[in-house]
Amino acid sequence: MTKATAVAQIQTERRFFTGMAIAMALFVFIGFAPTYYLYPVIGVEPLRGAEPLTPMVHLHAATGTAWMLFLVLQTGLIMGGQPTQHMRNGIIGIALAVAIIVLGVAVAIYSARVGRTPPGWTPTGFMAIPLASVTLFGGFVTAALLWRWRPDFHKRLMLIGTTALLVPAGARFSHQFLDGLAPPGPVGGMILSDFFLAALVIYDLRMRGRLHPATLWGGGIVLVSQPLRVMLSDNPAFNRFAAWMIG
């Protein structure tokens, strides 16, 4: 491989991961636009119960939005040849990730208490979805930090971890724009989030001729977890645990 070819491949990879971060951020915005971001303008009935959104819920939305923008910034810094600033921003990413996990659990408990759950899901059963999402997100972000000296692992683990946060946006996207074409609720959200994993798989196969280990194992864990979450929602032991959490 010539030096020019290697440089071209590096630039291609940087553009791909920046493009994926932008696509994810747009996906979240579009998914939540009718019921949150642009609700006063569009006026679509929110997918929630009668209880008003609390400051905690708004803070949860703010941290999730900040994470998506942060991912775009970090990938953009790498594409722009500023790895030092990218690394300096790591502490911001850690703080955001911790806030997302803590608020994600808190909002899941609050939503279950007030009955803000998708149609067809019990408050305790639905807890399996957000709890699994924050667990996967936290696990992949932690792994990405441990592999931060291996950019090829780091960027893939960050990307895969972020897909765990896309399920709520995907559920709303499915309901608002793909009604009848995709399953409603969390199942539809998981299926739509898998398209980002598929894009990573296709990229690896085209550029490397094989799956990167992070893509293979990370993507595999996400895919296996999805039916397990649905099964867990019907598990009596989990429902008792969720009822204890809800209080």
Side-chain angles (χ1 to χ4, degrees):
M1 180 186 297
T2 65
K3 183 177 180 180
T5 301
V7 170
Q9 287 188 354
I10 290 173
Q11 286 302 109
T12 297
E13 182 156 296
R14 289 175 175 177
R15 285 194 295 269
F16 171 77
F17 281 94
T18 300
M20 286 287 282
I22 293 172
M24 285 180 165
L26 288 174
F27 181 76
V28 170
F29 176 77
I30 294 171
F32 279 101
T35 60
Y36 189 78
Y37 294 118
L38 300 180
Y39 173 63
V41 178
I42 298 177
V44 174
E45 183 65 23
L47 297 179
R48 57 175 186 255
E51 293 288 332
L53 295 180
T54 65
M56 179 178 65
V57 175
H58 287 299
L59 184 58
H60 168 64
T63 55
T65 302
W67 176 266
M68 302 309 303
L69 296 177
F70 179 74
L71 191 67
V72 173
L73 170 65
Q74 289 293 83
T75 54
L77 286 173
I78 294 298
M79 188 172 72
Q82 301 182 59
T84 301
Q85 187 59 50
H86 174 96
M87 290 187 287
R88 286 174 180 166
N89 291 345
I91 190 65
I92 300 174
I94 293 172
L96 281 174
V98 171
I100 286 171
I101 293 168
V102 172
L103 289 169
V105 174
V107 169
I109 293 172
Y110 168 76
S111 298
R113 283 175 178 167
V114 300
R116 186 180 292 146
T117 54
W121 292 74
T122 64
T124 54
F126 178 67
M127 286 280 287
I129 303 300
L131 291 183
S133 293
V134 296
T135 299
L136 286 170
F137 171 74
F140 281 116
V141 169
T142 300
L145 291 173
L146 294 174
W147 286 89
R148 62 189 180 278
W149 305 119
R150 287 287 304 273
D152 55 325
F153 278 84
H154 176 76
K155 63 184 67 176
R156 285 170 173 81
L157 291 169
M158 279 292 192
L159 194 73
I160 294 169
T162 302
T163 63
L165 303 181
L166 303 182
V167 176
R172 286 158 176 79
F173 196 104
S174 174
H175 174 76
Q176 299 292 346
F177 305 108
L178 299 175
D179 189 24
L181 298 177
V187 174
M190 288 186 284
I191 291 174
L192 292 181
S193 69
D194 289 343
F195 280 91
F196 292 96
L197 292 177
L200 181 58
V201 167
I202 292 171
Y203 172 80
D204 275 357
L205 292 177
R206 290 191 61 183
M207 298 302 296
R208 299 169 55 89
R210 65 188 186 281
L211 293 182
H212 187 281
T215 303
L216 176 63
W217 292 103
I221 289 171
V222 172
L223 292 176
V224 170
S225 77
Q226 293 175 350
L228 292 179
R229 296 181 223 182
V230 178
M231 294 169 60
L232 191 63
S233 68
D234 288 327
N235 181 271
F238 174 79
N239 277 267
R240 288 193 295 270
F241 170 71
W244 171 82
M245 289 189 68
I246 296 168

